[in-house]
Amino acid sequence: MAAASLAFPFESNSSMMAAGAAAAADHPASGVPFMTIGREVLTVGSRRHDHHDHHHHLDQLMGRPGQFDVPNVEDPALYCRQHFASTCGSGDAHQEVKFAKGTTTLAFKFQGGIIVSVDSRATQGNYISSGTVKKIIEINPFLLGTMAGGAADCSFWERNLGRECRLYELRHGRRITVAGASKLLANVMSSYRGYGLSMGTMVAGWDETGPHLYYVDDDGTRLKGKYFSVGSGSTFAYGVLDNYYRPDMTLEEAIDLGTRAIYHATYRDAASGGINNLYHVKEGGWEVIHAIDVNDLHYQYAEEKKNAMIASTT
């Protein structure tokens, strides 16, 4: 697919030839034409020129680093909606390329901070493409983001958010607030609305005003709340959270709730599974609590249920 790059214009062939002619005029004794590429003067036919020409050809095929390529059509946004529209589960936007995604991510606030818990399964339709995806993105030592939707979109834009947060800290001499970080991400998503991005993420962190949790998606929607769950298994996770969530939970109770909610979602949702990764966000920053295979959790909870039934009948 041809692509048009959003980047600074480079010299055209005519300007390069003119520069080469000028350089050749400046060096009549050598008898070898020169081409001026920015600040470099490359001798045509030299090893250095051939190396540059090879990389220029690769740039045309793969795009230049640091550029964001869009379809080379009159209306890129309409083209992306028609061909790359994103739907979850069995939804159909009548697009040419159908993305069938699945995941379960959740986060909730409690009196001891924030628990962020996710699965690790990545799917391509009915195919499980990976079982070890890291869906909690460490933006900085005090901020975490979650990944639901397109893995590339979430990973790229949340890592970009980490860079923006660091630049803010360097400019102002203090860490950015969680509200500010989530607003930066929401603004970027709003500016790319309709271009085919697929993101349903949570931004969780602790700043000078305490713990905060936000939901941000590819439409630019930004919501603040006590708990969220995102992904194809979120309805099952919400069933557990709605029943057992309490703001005054202890850390052990909060960890157990986050673990059980992900387990039950992976048990009922075929697109969720793998490893349960769980983080605790506290005043001193985030901490990794555990990474447990949900298959081990299945047998652990089955044994607990069995023992509870035996105890109730004796």
Side-chain angles (χ1 to χ4, degrees), residues 2-256:
S5 297
L6 302 179
F8 296 106
F10 289 84
E11 293 180 326
S12 63
N13 289 335
S14 59
S15 63
M16 290 169 62
M17 292 298 294
D26 292 338
H27 299 78
S30 66
V32 181
F34 282 79
M35 293 180 65
T36 302
I37 312 296
R39 296 183 179 180
E40 298 288 342
V41 179
L42 307 180
T43 306
V44 176
S46 69
R47 185 178 303 171
R48 189 176 184 186
H49 175 270
D50 292 342
H51 178 75
H52 174 272
D53 189 60
H54 171 70
H55 282 275
H56 178 69
H57 178 66
L58 290 179
D59 289 343
Q60 290 179 327
L61 292 176
M62 304 174 62
R64 293 178 181 271
Q67 294 182 353
F68 188 77
D69 293 339
V70 297
N72 188 18
V73 295
E74 183 177 354
D75 189 342
L78 177 62
Y79 184 89
C80 288
R81 283 195 296 271
Q82 290 176 341
H83 296 276
F84 307 108
S86 177
T87 58
C88 290
S90 60
D92 189 353
H94 306 290
Q95 72 276 37
E96 293 296 326
V97 180
K98 302 184 187 300
F99 295 94
K101 304 177 296 299
T103 188
T104 304
T105 64
L106 65 88
F108 59 85
K109 292 173 60 178
F110 71 109
Q111 57 87 20
I114 302 174
I115 291 294
V116 183
S117 187
V118 301
D119 75 320
S120 67
R121 177 172 291 180
T123 56
Q124 296 174 326
N126 293 325
Y127 174 70
I128 299 174
S129 55
S130 175
T132 56
V133 177
K134 188 176 181 180
K135 297 183 182 180
I136 298 179
I137 298 174
E138 299 159 359
I139 299 172
N140 67 32
F142 295 86
L143 277 174
L144 294 175
T146 61
M147 178 190 298
D153 294 341
C154 294
S155 180
F156 177 84
W157 289 113
E158 290 187 37
R159 293 183 190 281
N160 179 73
L161 175 61
R163 183 184 65 178
E164 294 297 327
C165 292
R166 178 57 178 155
L167 289 173
Y168 179 94
E169 186 175 351
L170 292 172
R171 292 188 186 112
H172 300 278
R174 58 185 175 87
R175 297 200 320 267
I176 192 171
T177 63
V178 184
S182 64
K183 188 63 175 177
L184 283 176
L185 184 60
N187 287 344
V188 172
M189 292 300 101
S190 181
S191 66
Y192 282 102
R193 181 184 299 164
Y195 278 76
L197 294 180
S198 175
M199 278 184 62
T201 184
M202 292 170 284
V203 178
W206 194 300
D207 56 32
E208 53 194 25
T209 62
H212 300 281
L213 176 62
Y214 289 85
Y215 164 82
V216 179
D217 67 16
D218 50 64
D219 286 330
T221 301
R222 173 175 170 267
L223 302 172
K224 184 177 183 180
K226 293 182 178 179
Y227 62 85
F228 295 106
S229 183
V230 187
S232 57
S234 61
T235 52
F236 307 110
Y238 268 127
V240 178
L241 292 174
D242 289 339
N243 276 283
Y244 298 105
Y245 171 78
R246 299 190 335 270
D248 60 345
M249 288 184 293
T250 65
L251 176 59
E252 290 73 20
E253 291 173 331
I255 291 173
D256 184 63

